[in-house]
């Protein structure tokens, strides 16, 4: 079983609709992160979580919300999708502060 | 603030050539440093890391040495292969109030030709 599973892998949605991306981990890692990856911008942090119900904003959090009701699941919601949110979204987990990340395979989201 | 600056690409090499991708960082405290690799259509994978000054991380023929005096963590490989074609990201775990969050460089695209 993959340690981190992102779903869906691909999604096309219309402007103005809500969208939820899911990240599921079997690593029992405390820390979880959502990034978006865009050409020319590298990886940008959207939101992160240091534990169940403990979340905070990253550098590009406008238009996004997150929830973490269980250790293994971290949900990213685009409240009303816009074309500027077309991107590849990556979830990452981290065992502790001194460790690197383990990344999921990504979700490619297209907003039309 | 904390930042990571890495060599802009793309970098194009012939097989068996020597590779260097430069990475420098700014951080408060004593960061851990990482190199990640991303193959097409995949997520990032940890390639190597170093957690303190003068540490050398190594994996799959790649090496990087944590140089505190020059705040650098340059990635090197003596003889690249076509299969090394990918995007490489340098990252820093700045510590302090940043906890475990990583700051990433912009990424360097490497293409290796036969």
């Amino acid at each position: 079983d993959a340690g981190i599973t992102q779903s869906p892998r691909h999604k096309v949605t219309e402007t103005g609709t809500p969208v939820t991306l899911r990240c599921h981990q079997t690593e029992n890692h405390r820390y979880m992160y959502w990034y978006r990856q865009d050409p020319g911008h590298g990886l940008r942090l959207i939101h992160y979580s240091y534990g169940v119900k403990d979340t905070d904003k990253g550098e590009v959090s406008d238009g996004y919300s997150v929830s973490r009701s269980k250790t293994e699941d971290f949900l990213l919601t685009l409240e009303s999708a816009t074309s500027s949110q077309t991107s590849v979204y990556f979830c990452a987990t981290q065992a502790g502060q001194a460790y690197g990340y383990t990344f999921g395979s990504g979700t490619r989201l297209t907003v039309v | 603030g904390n930042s990571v600056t890495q060599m802009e690409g793309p970098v194009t090499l012939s097989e068996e050539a020597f590779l260097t991708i430069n990475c420098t960082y700014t951080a408060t405290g004593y960061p851990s440093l990482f190199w990640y690799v991303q193959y097409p259509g995949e997520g990032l994978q940890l390639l190597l890391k170093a957690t303190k000054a003068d540490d050398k991380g190594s994996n799959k023929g790649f090496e990087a040495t944590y140089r505190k005096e020059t705040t650098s963590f340059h990635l090197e490989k003596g003889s690249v292969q076509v299969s090394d074609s990918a995007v490489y990201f340098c990252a820093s775990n700045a510590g302090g109030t940043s906890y475990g969050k990583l700051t990433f460089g912009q990424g360097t695209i490497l293409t290796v030709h036969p």
Side-chain angles (χ1 to χ4, degrees):
Chain A
D1 287 342
I4 301 173
T5 304
Q6 290 187 236
S7 59
R9 289 298 312 276
H10 302 273
K11 186 172 181 66
V12 179
T13 193
E14 293 186 350
T15 298
T17 61
V19 177
T20 296
L21 308 183
R22 181 183 185 230
C23 178
H24 177 78
Q25 60 143 330
T26 59
E27 310 282 342
N28 200 34
H29 286 172
R30 177 180 173 186
Y31 303 102
M32 297 186 75
Y33 304 85
W34 276 107
Y35 285 85
R36 59 180 290 176
Q37 185 177 30
D38 305 288
H41 292 278
L43 288 162
R44 293 183 289 176
L45 180 64
I46 306 171
H47 279 281
Y48 57 99
S49 170
Y50 287 154
V52 173
K53 298 184 180 179
D54 182 5
T55 65
D56 207 346
K57 296 178 180 180
E59 60 182 299
V60 290
S61 60
D62 287 348
Y64 301 94
S65 62
V66 290
S67 66
R68 190 156 178 215
S69 59
K70 298 184 291 185
T71 298
E72 57 266 36
D73 289 324
F74 193 32
L75 305 180
L76 176 71
T77 297
L78 287 66
E79 294 143 5
S80 177
T82 68
S83 59
S84 65
Q85 294 175 312
T86 292
S87 186
V88 180
Y89 291 85
F90 286 101
C91 173
T93 71
Q94 187 182 32
Q97 294 178 16
Y99 294 84
Y101 290 174
T102 303
F103 281 88
S105 298
T107 294
R108 182 172 295 277
L109 177 68
T110 303
V111 184
V112 298
Chain B
N2 305 316
S3 67
V4 174
T5 303
Q6 64 181 97
M7 171 179 176
E8 290 199 19
V11 175
T12 302
L13 296 173
S14 297
E15 203 165 27
E16 299 184 2
F18 184 86
L19 169 70
T20 299
I21 301 177
N22 291 338
C23 172
T24 57
Y25 67 91
T26 61
T28 56
Y30 300 95
S32 297
L33 302 172
F34 306 85
W35 276 101
Y36 283 83
V37 58
Q38 184 180 30
Y39 299 104
E42 298 183 12
L44 281 71
Q45 303 173 24
L46 180 64
L47 181 59
L48 54 83
K49 69 176 183 180
T51 58
K52 61 183 187 296
D54 299 325
D55 268 2
K56 178 184 284 188
S58 61
N59 186 24
K60 299 181 181 179
F62 291 90
E63 293 183 339
T65 301
Y66 190 143
R67 301 288 187 197
K68 185 180 175 185
E69 64 275 13
T70 54
T71 63
S72 65
F73 192 54
H74 304 322
L75 182 68
E76 297 182 336
K77 186 175 186 182
S79 176
V80 293
Q81 304 301 310
V82 172
S83 57
D84 294 327
S85 298
V87 184
Y88 292 82
F89 292 90
C90 185
S92 163
N93 174 338
T97 58
S98 297
Y99 295 94
K101 284 186 292 180
L102 296 187
T103 299
F104 288 88
Q106 291 296 304
T108 301
I109 300 172
L110 171 66
T111 303
V112 181
H113 292 297

